Amino acid sequence: MTLSMPMALSCKTGANAKMNPKKPEKAVVFWYSQTGNTERAGRLIAGTLKKHGLEVQSAEYRDMDPSSVAAADLIIAGSPVYYYDVPANFKKWLRALPGIEGIPCAAYVTFGGEGGNQHNTACALLELLVDKGGAPAGMETFGNMSTFAITWSSGNINRVLKYRHLPDENSYGEMREFASRILNRAGERKYFKIDKKVDFRDLIKNAPSIWSTKLFITRHAINAEKCIECGTCAKKCPVNAIDLSKHSVDTDRCIACLGCVNNCPAQAVDMAFMGKEVYGYNEFVRRNRIKIHLPEELKAD
Ligand SMILES: Cc1cc2nc3c(=O)[nH]c(=O)nc-3n(C[C@H](O)[C@H](O)[C@H](O)COP(=O)(O)O)c2cc1C
């Protein structure tokens, strides 16, 4: 349930930020992405800004130099919604950014299905940039098929397959439009007012939800016999919980992002939720013959 009630007390509106008077020429677009949805949006947004004549640097946050963020004159950040919130590892990186005083900034999130607290998560992402001195120019939410492997592994396949057509041409049109809108707003120095809604999911977001999910993860290890030593799981893990030399997972450190199980090409991540085997996104896509629709601009890459 989402009520349209402003949360004036806990929300930074960005009203005090001063937006630089300069028309943007140099943009950075960065994102956190485990299974490609947020990355696809980010690359499309970056491509649209380039078409408008901007110099654009774009990458996943783990490959982005924080000093280039501070040197830009337009910043767009993207995140998936995980556990009703911006993932903690991405928040930590954003909080450590250098000051971005006056730089127009915008946020987008990708999410899987209805009722996932996507609006407030986009607000929270934008607030993190405003905390660093950024001037809010806008935000957006883009829905697609969920990558929460526990849903389909627990038998709720149809709940996920309902969105198998997403992202589609409409979604990509919205992403291009978002990029152009942000650029126009920044050029005209138009401020965006962050308007969080009252949503009970804010009470259980992040740590409580992760903790309760972890409570039911009854197995989480790397199967040494199946493992092809490609290192994907360790590279994807945002909290360095995987030691490939020992095929071990530090389950205390794990934040249940499912990046390991979702991306392993050999199905070597041995995970169970309430005793049921969890199989990842790659496998889910293969089993259901899902073809992710790409926008024209990204087809050649
Ligand atoms: C661990 C995990 C938690 C998730 N939590 C939520 C959520 O709270 N709300 C939501 O709408 N979608 C949720 N999702 C779905 C993702 O937000 C969505 O699939 C997103 O587009 C994934 O982006 P990525 O492919 O860039 O990683 C979750 C997915 C995962 C893997």
Side-chain angles (χ1 to χ4, degrees), residues 219-282:
R219 233 174 37 234
H220 189 184
I222 310 291
N223 181 325
E225 279 169 28
K226 285 190 183 170
C227 178
I228 55 168
E229 315 279 339
C230 66
T232 304
C233 57
K235 191 164 171 253
K236 281 284 176 183
C237 178
V239 290
N240 296 321
I242 296 176
D243 182 345
L244 214 51
S245 65
K246 295 185 190 140
H247 293 105
S248 66
V249 180
D250 181 340
T251 51
D252 288 336
R253 192 181 268 245
C254 168
I255 53 168
C257 74
L258 312 178
C260 56
V261 71
N262 268 342
N263 288 289
C264 175
Q267 286 225 72
V269 177
D270 180 19
M271 182 183 278
F273 183 82
M274 296 175 99
K276 276 197 179 155
E277 183 213 337
V278 176
Y279 61 99
Y281 177 71
N282 282 342

Side-chain angles (χ1 to χ4, degrees), residues 33-38 80-84 110-113 116 144-148 256-257 262:
S33 183
Q34 288 285 57
T35 35
N37 290 325
T38 320
V81 182
Y82 281 180
Y83 299 105
Y84 311 124
T110 67
F111 66 99
N144 44 241
M145 197 175 65
S146 175
T147 52
F148 190 60
C257 74
N262 268 342

Side-chain angles (χ1 to χ4, degrees), residues 127-140:
E127 278 178 0
L128 283 156
L129 297 169
V130 169
D131 280 346
K132 285 283 152 187
M139 56 172 241
E140 202 44 87

Side-chain angles (χ1 to χ4, degrees), residues 1-3 7 115-118 120 197-203:
M1 181 183 60
T2 309
L3 301 175
M7 286 176 68
N117 205 25
Q118 59 271 18
N120 283 358
K197 313 277 188 245
V198 174
D199 190 319
F200 77 90
R201 289 169 187 87
D202 274 326
L203 301 174

